Amino acid sequence: MKKESIAVAYPTIPVVFVSSVHPDRIPLHNSMGLAVTDVKDEVRTETHVKLLKKKKIEFYVNGKPLEKQKLQDAVKIIEIFRKNQKVGLRIESRNYKIYSGSSDAGAAALVFALNDLFETNYSLDKLAEISMMLSESSIRSVYGGLNELNVDGYPKFYGKQIASEKDLKDLKIFTLTFDYPARVSAEQIFQATRSNPFYEYRLKMIPQWIAKIKLGLLLNNWHMVFSVAEENCANAHYLIESSGLRCRKKEMMCACIDVEEIRCLGLACYWTAGGGNQINIFSWGKDAKKVKKELLKRGYKAKEYKVAGGPKIIKSVR
């Protein structure tokens, strides 16, 4: 057992939107996502786990004590690593410049730090499984790159990386963040989509969307990959919005339309959006600079992101 450990992990964005979950928070259907950071690797979550002499658990997120229900969920994870060892822990998790996907990064960084501290040597697959107890899409952050969560054998499931950050190094991601006082909760999104009469159609389309994305990767056809990603996310938001909720407020809707208009100029330009206040815009090659200029011309101050890898230990003390 070590004295302390610090792990860093990266937030995620959807490629195939998680639209509902089972009671144990495992998604109802297969999904895909990307781990991302900014060009300087500053967008991240760092989780510091340190031993205490007293057998108690102190958990802080961005300097504030973790709320009771989330602390109870975290303790269940901690016990998997701590087992019967009578030691206390102080855990401090801090998000840096994250506007979306922080729960995935937080869950990933926590399990990696605990695995290092207690020297449990769990496999990547095991760490991914444990992290899912905290966030239904944390597997994206655990594997990094472009990855898939397969739940066809539910209650068994598995994740895998299908393209690394090196494979996708030429991909440019421009994020637009909108300042809204509140967002639709994940539980509200899941309820809205699952109760929509067109949800069964979405479930039937998921395997086709994922197959096309994989084919696009094999053919190095990024237009295929991200046109399908956009179609999938647009479908998810349609189900949410036609059920009476709205994640994409007016300004976000306008941004989606602007992306489509930029694409009509002949430029590689596609969008996805999760349940938060962020639109993700994908481009590549020579078109990327032109897309960024078009966004500026339309009044958007886009932050440039790139695909990130999986979590890593940045400090380990015996």
Side-chain angles (χ1 to χ4, degrees):
M1 188 192 311
K2 298 178 181 178
K3 292 180 179 179
E4 63 180 299
S5 178
I6 302 178
V8 62
Y10 301 99
T12 71
I13 57 177
V15 173
V16 173
F17 192 107
V18 175
S19 54
S20 198
V21 296
H22 292 282
D24 58 3
R25 299 198 69 78
I26 304 303
L28 281 175
H29 58 73
N30 297 347
S31 60
M32 301 176 80
L34 281 165
V36 296
T37 186
D38 64 335
V39 293
K40 295 181 179 179
D41 291 334
E42 292 178 346
V43 174
R44 68 198 189 281
T45 294
E46 284 187 11
T47 297
H48 185 183
V49 181
K50 188 175 182 179
L51 289 182
L52 294 177
K53 292 181 179 179
K54 294 182 180 179
K55 191 182 177 182
K56 64 176 182 178
I57 295 172
E58 300 175 357
F59 203 132
Y60 300 88
V61 176
N62 296 324
K64 297 180 180 180
L66 190 63
E67 55 189 77
K68 187 176 180 180
Q69 182 56 55
K70 290 184 177 179
L71 179 59
Q72 291 174 352
D73 293 338
V75 168
K76 292 176 184 177
I77 286 181
I78 291 166
E79 292 302 337
I80 294 172
F81 296 90
R82 186 169 64 170
K83 300 179 181 177
N84 295 319
Q85 300 177 78
K86 296 181 179 180
V87 295
L89 296 174
R90 180 180 176 88
I91 302 171
E92 297 179 66
S93 184
R94 188 166 295 277
N95 298 324
Y96 294 91
K97 300 184 178 182
I98 295 181
Y99 299 100
S100 182
S102 61
S103 59
D104 293 346
L110 176 63
V111 298
F112 267 72
L114 290 170
N115 191 50
D116 180 62
L117 185 87
F118 289 106
E119 300 182 281
T120 38
N121 297 317
Y122 288 138
S123 68
L124 189 63
D125 292 343
K126 180 66 173 178
L127 292 175
E129 179 184 340
I130 296 170
S131 75
M132 293 277 284
M133 294 169 64
L134 278 182
S135 174
E136 64 278 349
S137 52
S138 62
I139 209 162
R140 299 174 185 169
S141 186
V142 170
Y143 286 99
L146 174 61
N147 49 73
E148 175 190 8
L149 171 63
N150 187 296
V151 296
D152 287 341
Y154 178 81
K156 294 183 178 180
F157 60 89
Y158 67 88
K160 61 179 179 180
Q161 185 187 88
I162 56 178
S164 71
E165 67 274 25
K166 292 181 180 178
D167 296 329
L168 302 173
K169 61 181 173 46
D170 295 326
L171 182 67
K172 304 296 182 185
I173 307 168
F174 303 112
T175 64
L176 307 179
T177 303
F178 299 84
D179 186 17
Y180 297 134
R183 57 163 284 178
V184 180
S185 71
E187 287 70 24
Q188 288 175 304
I189 291 171
F190 298 153
Q191 176 60 32
T193 54
R194 192 167 56 245
S195 62
N196 193 290
F198 292 103
Y199 189 60
E200 288 301 318
Y201 168 79
R202 176 173 177 79
L203 292 181
K204 290 177 182 178
M205 286 298 298
I206 292 288
Q208 296 182 43
W209 281 322
I210 289 179
K212 285 182 180 178
I213 289 171
K214 290 180 177 179
L215 178 60
L217 287 169
L218 284 172
L219 299 175
N220 201 28
N221 184 340
W222 286 9
H223 284 284
M224 180 183 291
V225 171
F226 290 105
S227 65
V228 173
E230 181 181 299
E231 180 183 341
N232 172 272
C233 286
N235 170 266
H237 283 281
Y238 168 77
L239 295 183
I240 296 165
E241 290 156 8
S242 62
S243 297
L245 298 176
R246 184 169 291 280
C247 297
R248 298 182 300 170
K249 303 295 194 295
K250 181 178 179 180
E251 295 84 358
M252 293 176 73
M253 293 290 287
C254 289
C256 292
I257 293 170
D258 279 328
V259 169
E260 293 165 11
E261 289 183 350
I262 292 171
R263 188 161 66 239
C264 286
L265 298 176
L267 300 176
C269 187
Y270 299 91
W271 67 267
T272 70
N277 60 346
Q278 186 169 292
I279 298 287
N280 314 296
I281 301 166
F282 303 92
S283 191
W284 53 86
K286 294 180 180 178
D287 284 359
K289 286 185 178 180
K290 296 176 182 177
V291 167
K292 189 173 184 179
K293 286 183 180 178
E294 282 293 330
L295 290 170
L296 284 169
K297 193 186 299 183
R298 293 163 188 255
Y300 298 109
K301 295 180 180 179
K303 293 181 175 64
E304 187 173 333
Y305 277 28
K306 63 180 180 180
V307 180
K312 52 192 177 185
I313 301 298
I314 59 172
K315 184 178 180 180
S316 188
V317 179
R318 288 195 175 278

